[in-house]
């Protein structure tokens, strides 16, 4: 059974929220924010992502995004998978004062979810909301201002 909101029309732009498990403040560090920005840039150039806007908060990301290829669910899945892998590697291999605590929280999250064996970085689901009216898009964009 799918959790949260479902992306029904893969061609429409959606307002999405991707949240770190346990609301851990991962993106308080610039190097982790840079991983997200690099991945967004890659997805725009190579995977057909249309990114209308985004904001990176300390423990979650909001974005208005669309897929040129009509595969938004796949695009978001790949984005989350790559960023999780990259950021977890940084946490494990670079200086991080919260390293043990963070990895313990990410590992503990796998106990209730069977998708990942070692670490669960992102919460499941994206709280996807279709954007079909221009004024709705404007309403969502005000969140970023």
């Amino acid at each position: 059974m799918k959790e949260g909101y479902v992306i029904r029309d893969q061609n429409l732009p959606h307002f999405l929220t991707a949240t770190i498990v346990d609301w851990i403040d991962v993106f308080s560090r610039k190097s982790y924010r840079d991983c997200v920005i690099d991945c967004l840039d890659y997805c725009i150039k190579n995977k057909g992502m249309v990114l209308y806007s985004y904001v990176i908060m300390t423990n979650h990301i909001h974005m208005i995004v669309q897929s040129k290829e009509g595969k938004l669910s796949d695009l978001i899945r790949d984005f989350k998978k790559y960023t999780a892998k990259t950021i977890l590697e940084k946490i494990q291999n670079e200086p991080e004062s919260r390293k043990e605590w963070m990895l313990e929280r990410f590992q503990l999250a796998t106990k209730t979810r069977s998708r990942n064996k070692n670490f669960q970085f992102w919460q499941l689901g994206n709280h996807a909301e279709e954007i079909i009216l221009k004024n709705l898009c404007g309403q969502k964009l005000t969140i970023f201002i």
Side-chain angles (χ1 to χ4, degrees):
M1 180 174 147
K2 292 209 178 226
E3 295 186 23
Y5 293 66
V6 177
I7 299 175
R8 296 190 200 300
D9 189 334
Q10 297 286 321
N11 294 299
L12 288 177
H14 282 71
F15 175 77
L16 303 172
T17 301
T19 307
I20 306 297
V21 297
D22 292 343
W23 293 82
I24 297 171
D25 287 332
V26 172
F27 302 124
S28 56
R29 304 274 200 264
K30 183 183 182 312
S31 98
Y32 306 142
R33 289 191 307 268
D34 288 346
C35 289
V36 170
I37 293 167
D38 291 345
C39 187
L40 288 171
D41 187 48
Y42 177 85
C43 289
I44 290 166
K45 291 177 181 172
N46 300 292
K47 292 188 145 288
M49 177 185 275
V50 179
L51 185 65
Y52 295 101
S53 61
Y54 72 95
V55 61
I56 303 173
M57 308 301 284
T58 60
N59 51 25
H60 64 285
I61 301 168
H62 295 293
M63 58 183 135
I64 297 177
V65 65
Q66 185 173 13
S67 172
K68 288 180 185 177
E69 298 161 8
K71 297 179 180 179
L72 187 56
S73 293
D74 293 348
L75 183 61
I76 299 305
R77 179 201 61 221
D78 294 348
F79 167 80
K80 288 174 77 173
K81 183 178 179 180
Y82 179 79
T83 53
K85 181 178 184 256
T86 304
I87 294 170
L88 284 166
E89 285 175 1
K90 281 184 168 288
I91 291 170
Q92 291 171 314
N93 299 316
E94 295 180 4
E96 169 58 72
S97 61
R98 308 166 299 161
K99 175 181 181 173
E100 288 80 19
W101 174 79
M102 291 170 78
L103 293 175
E104 179 183 322
R105 301 305 309 163
F106 297 139
Q107 190 172 41
L108 193 61
T110 64
K111 304 297 182 215
T112 58
R113 303 283 188 236
S114 61
R115 287 186 184 180
N116 295 318
K117 293 179 181 164
N118 298 321
F119 300 106
Q120 177 76 36
F121 184 79
W122 295 105
Q123 291 182 15
L124 300 181
N126 302 304
H127 195 88
E129 297 179 55
E130 282 183 7
I131 298 181
I132 50 178
L133 303 172
K134 287 183 183 180
N135 62 346
L136 181 60
C137 187
Q139 179 187 27
K140 294 299 182 189
L141 281 173
T142 59
I143 292 171
F144 301 117
I145 297 174

